[in-house]
Amino acid sequence: MTPRPRYFRVLLTFARNSLVRAMTFRANFLIECVTSLSFVFLNLGFFILIFQYTSSIGRGTGWGKYEYFVFLATFQMINSLIEAFFMPNAEEFSELVRTGELDFALMKPIDTQFLISMAKFNWSSMTNFLFALLLLGYSLLRLDYVPGVAEILLYPFYILSGVAILYSLMITLAATTVWLGRNQSIYDFWFYITIFSRYPLEIYSGPFGTPIRILFTFILPVLVVVNVPARLLAKPLEPGEWRLAAFALVATAVSLVASRWLFKRALESYRSASS
């Protein structure tokens, strides 16, 4: 009987191997870190420029400068985790299907989705995570609002919840490669969808914004990914926003179950290179 793999130990092995590969070419790793950070600085500079002409973003209470920087830091943390742990593997999945190398993954005595999702880490993306932590700490010090103990403890939990929702969407899009063949446009679709998560819910109002808010909150729940954890730290949650936080947990569970089901259906439809 094949012994059950210790997934945490396997995960650490994947992480160590990826770090060794990255450090083999240190100059390239440093260039990737600088390039990754440059996009973050440009994005931050853009919103610094915007707040020179307005005091808040969104209708009603809106998001002030440092409240929005909490939002931006939250987005960067979630996005950097996705880019570090899952995106390199999802991008490679179509090549595994096309070349037939997925056969070797299926033969290994370990869960295929775990192996496909976690085989490679992109450590350079973690520089964005560290910068986001610094931006978050600085912004919290400049806020008038002080979050309570419950909000602080819930914040990392909802960060992981947001990562789980975006991972579910990514692995679902990757799994469709089994039926669609080599289709790199699915990653364009990924960016088109997740771009909506970069902005607060308040901006999605009116005859055009309201349908977008409903679609990307209750059908494809990308709007809860950043909005819920950022609100926990940036401003007091109103009763309706606590309901949104509860819905985020439901959306996380449904997303993970649905993506798992679709991934398994995709593997059942896969025809190996030897067939």
Side-chain angles (χ1 to χ4, degrees):
M1 182 177 179
T2 303
R4 184 178 180 86
R6 297 183 178 182
Y7 284 90
F8 184 69
R9 181 177 296 179
V10 173
L11 183 64
L12 291 179
T13 301
F14 288 157
R16 183 177 64 250
N17 291 343
S18 296
L19 185 60
V20 169
R21 283 196 297 268
M23 292 298 99
T24 302
F25 306 97
R26 291 183 176 86
N28 181 70
F29 177 77
L30 291 175
I31 291 173
E32 289 180 349
C33 291
V34 171
T35 302
S36 184
L37 275 175
S38 65
F39 287 105
V40 177
F41 286 136
L42 288 172
N43 195 29
L44 178 61
F46 173 74
F47 286 104
I48 291 175
L49 180 63
I50 286 179
F51 279 109
Q52 290 182 355
Y53 299 95
T54 183
S55 59
S56 65
I57 295 177
R59 295 183 177 180
T61 55
W63 292 75
K65 180 178 180 179
Y66 295 106
E67 291 171 333
Y68 186 77
F69 286 171
V70 170
F71 185 98
L72 186 61
T74 303
F75 167 76
Q76 291 296 344
M77 277 192 281
I78 294 174
N79 193 58
S80 63
L81 291 174
I82 289 291
E83 290 182 352
F85 293 99
F86 304 120
M87 189 169 289
N89 302 294
E91 289 176 345
E92 191 176 358
F93 185 69
S94 62
E95 285 299 302
L96 296 179
V97 173
R98 187 182 66 85
T99 60
E101 292 184 10
L102 182 59
D103 295 3
F104 299 104
L106 292 171
M107 291 189 298
K108 288 181 171 61
I110 194 171
D111 183 80
T112 305
Q113 184 174 342
F114 174 85
L115 181 62
I116 294 299
S117 302
M118 308 297 297
K120 293 181 179 179
F121 291 177
N122 181 10
W123 285 105
S124 62
S125 294
M126 293 307 293
T127 56
N128 291 355
F129 185 86
L130 296 177
F131 175 78
L133 282 177
L134 294 175
L135 178 61
L136 178 66
Y138 172 76
S139 301
L140 289 175
L141 292 175
R142 303 300 296 268
L143 286 177
D144 294 330
Y145 170 67
V146 178
V149 175
E151 285 81 2
I152 294 173
L153 294 177
L154 285 173
Y155 181 75
F157 179 78
Y158 275 101
I159 289 287
L160 295 178
S161 174
V163 170
I165 291 174
L166 292 186
Y167 163 74
S168 299
L169 177 59
M170 177 173 287
I171 199 67
T172 296
L173 292 174
T176 60
T177 305
V178 173
W179 297 295
L180 300 178
R182 189 177 184 181
N183 184 10
Q184 295 298 322
S185 62
I186 61 174
Y187 301 109
D188 295 333
F189 185 64
W190 154 263
F191 286 109
Y192 295 152
I193 291 177
T194 56
I195 195 171
F196 291 101
S197 67
R198 299 184 179 190
Y199 307 106
L201 279 170
E202 284 82 357
I203 75 169
Y204 300 106
S205 59
F208 297 105
T210 299
I212 292 176
R213 186 178 72 248
I214 294 173
L215 172 63
F216 290 108
T217 298
F218 301 107
I219 308 301
L220 292 173
V222 296
L223 285 182
V224 302
V225 167
V226 182
N227 274 274
V228 171
R231 287 165 192 269
L232 287 171
L233 295 188
K235 55 176 67 178
L237 265 66
E238 300 176 356
E241 292 173 332
W242 279 111
R243 288 194 293 269
L244 183 66
F247 171 77
L249 300 181
V250 176
T252 302
V254 171
S255 298
L256 288 173
V257 171
S259 63
R260 175 69 172 177
W261 178 85
L262 192 141
F263 187 84
K264 294 179 71 174
R265 298 290 81 76
L267 292 183
E268 291 174 0
S269 301
Y270 172 69
R271 296 295 179 262
S272 69
S274 61
S275 63

